[in-house]
Amino acid sequence: MKLDRYIDTFLDFIYPRNIYCILCNESIEKTEKYSLCQSCKEKINFIADRICEKCGKPLDDFYLSKECPDCIKTKHYFTKGFSCVEYNEHMKELVHKLKYKNHRYIAYHMAEMMISQLKKHDLNDIDYIVPVPLYKKKERKRGFNQSELLSKYIGKVMNWKVEKNNLIKIKDTKSQNQLNKDERKNNLENAFFVQAKEDFVDKNILLVDDVYTTGSTIDACSKEIRKAKPKEIYSISFATGKNINF
Ligand SMILES: [Zn+2]
Ligand SMILES: [Zn+2]
């Protein structure tokens, strides 16, 4: 028991007892899951039961098909995708804080949510976690790649290797935000490249990204990785939209 107390004191030293909610910055107990206060937890729609069998988007109860309308229409290059939360204004703010305000600790808590989603699903052993890469110039400007941060935490907990140098982005593409689905796809045409294809042969790959919208980024990466003849390509993103209104 004595040792427990020492450890507790030691942990308090590293992570002070009063920490802050990652969304509203209110002081919270350190035992709060994902470092979110109760009221912020209620603002989040965690993706639970009914999901699209292909891309992992949540499906409405009254919707009968096993795949979302988007996946019925579009052929995807990945095997199966998963997401943790529905993208709403609060999640937009959270991702924004991480990407543009340099609040890197948020990635740790996002990764925690991604890990609990991954554990719920029976994935084959993953050989490589591959973060969706940024164009080098963009990464230098931001100072980090958020998908790489997420990948690092996931890799550490799941004991999967992170391969961040093989898939690279070779085209400085326009921001996807203002583009429609077809424009997004064209924008990413030949944007990614696998340098050492032999390393991905017969491997199970898990692509990691922060937000999944139409799936065009994950698809463009998967299309390129497919050329290396991997076994399966899975994807996990932190947030995703409910339907195709993007
Ligand atoms: Zn809060
Ligand atoms: Zn789908």
Side-chain angles (χ1 to χ4, degrees):
M1 284 302 105
K2 213 174 176 188
L3 182 67
D4 278 357
R5 217 173 56 226
Y6 278 128
I7 292 172
D8 208 34
T9 313
F10 177 65
L11 285 175
D12 264 346
F13 179 69
I14 312 175
Y15 306 104
R17 191 163 286 277
N18 287 319
I19 52 167
Y20 301 94
C21 171
I22 53 172
L23 206 53
C24 69
N25 302 322
E26 283 291 319
S27 168
I28 52 168
E29 285 288 313
K30 71 172 181 187
T31 49
E32 288 285 3
K33 212 174 173 192
Y34 309 133
S35 201
L36 284 160
C37 75
Q38 275 310 319
S39 92
C40 283
K41 267 189 200 128
E42 281 159 27
K43 294 175 188 161
I44 300 178
N45 297 327
F46 290 97
I47 296 173
D49 307 329
R50 287 211 70 216
I51 60 169
C52 168
E53 278 191 345
K54 188 72 187 174
C55 73
K57 278 186 187 183
L59 299 175
D60 279 328
D61 290 340
F62 58 81
Y63 182 82
L64 293 177
S65 177
K66 287 180 174 173
E67 288 190 359
C68 73
D70 185 43
C71 289
I72 290 171
K73 265 192 278 177
T74 316
K75 174 186 180 276
H76 290 304
Y77 291 91
F78 54 87
T79 312
K80 216 169 165 58
F82 301 98
S83 256
C84 302
V85 300
E86 273 179 44
Y87 193 66
N88 59 20
E89 52 178 315
H90 307 293
M91 295 303 94
K92 189 176 175 182
E93 194 189 320
L94 197 64
V95 172
H96 193 271
K97 262 164 106 175
L98 164 65
K99 278 161 83 168
Y100 306 108
K101 296 200 172 152
N102 204 18
H103 292 226
R104 296 185 199 195
Y105 61 91
I106 291 174
Y108 172 77
H109 299 290
M110 285 183 182
E112 279 186 308
M113 295 182 227
M114 294 161 93
I115 289 159
S116 60
Q117 188 69 316
L118 284 168
K119 282 181 174 169
K120 269 194 258 168
H121 299 277
D122 223 4
L123 286 192
N124 295 330
D125 270 348
I126 298 298
D127 296 297
Y128 292 118
I129 297 183
V130 176
V132 168
L134 293 176
Y135 190 66
K136 267 283 159 271
K137 206 169 77 188
K138 197 168 179 183
E139 186 173 339
R140 266 200 300 270
K141 203 172 151 206
R142 187 174 297 166
F144 64 99
N145 174 1
Q146 69 281 0
S147 301
E148 200 182 306
L149 286 183
L150 295 169
S151 298
K152 258 196 339 218
Y153 293 128
I154 296 171
K156 209 177 262 177
V157 173
M158 302 300 279
N159 208 12
W160 293 334
K161 194 168 180 270
V162 179
E163 173 49 74
K164 63 181 177 74
N165 298 315
N166 203 6
L167 178 72
I168 56 168
K169 193 166 184 193
I170 52 172
K171 211 165 105 180
D172 192 5
T173 54
K174 280 186 276 184
S175 161
Q176 299 273 89
N177 291 343
Q178 304 299 321
L179 307 178
N180 68 31
K181 196 179 162 195
D182 286 336
E183 289 166 339
R184 280 170 184 248
K185 205 176 151 210
N186 292 335
N187 189 32
L188 292 172
E189 195 74 45
N190 301 319
F192 298 99
F193 183 69
V194 173
Q195 304 193 85
K197 302 234 174 353
E198 63 278 12
D199 289 354
F200 283 167
V201 176
D202 221 22
K203 297 285 192 270
N204 286 321
I205 310 283
L206 176 71
L207 279 164
V208 171
D209 205 1
D210 50 353
V211 180
Y212 181 103
T213 44
T214 62
S216 47
T217 305
I218 292 293
D219 254 339
C221 292
S222 301
K223 192 179 174 186
E224 175 59 24
I225 293 172
R226 278 259 164 261
K227 294 179 189 165
K229 307 223 175 331
K231 204 183 277 169
E232 306 291 356
I233 304 172
Y234 299 100
S235 84
I236 177 95
S237 54
F238 169 66
T240 187
K242 194 166 190 164
N243 47 45
I244 50 171
N245 298 327
F246 280 104

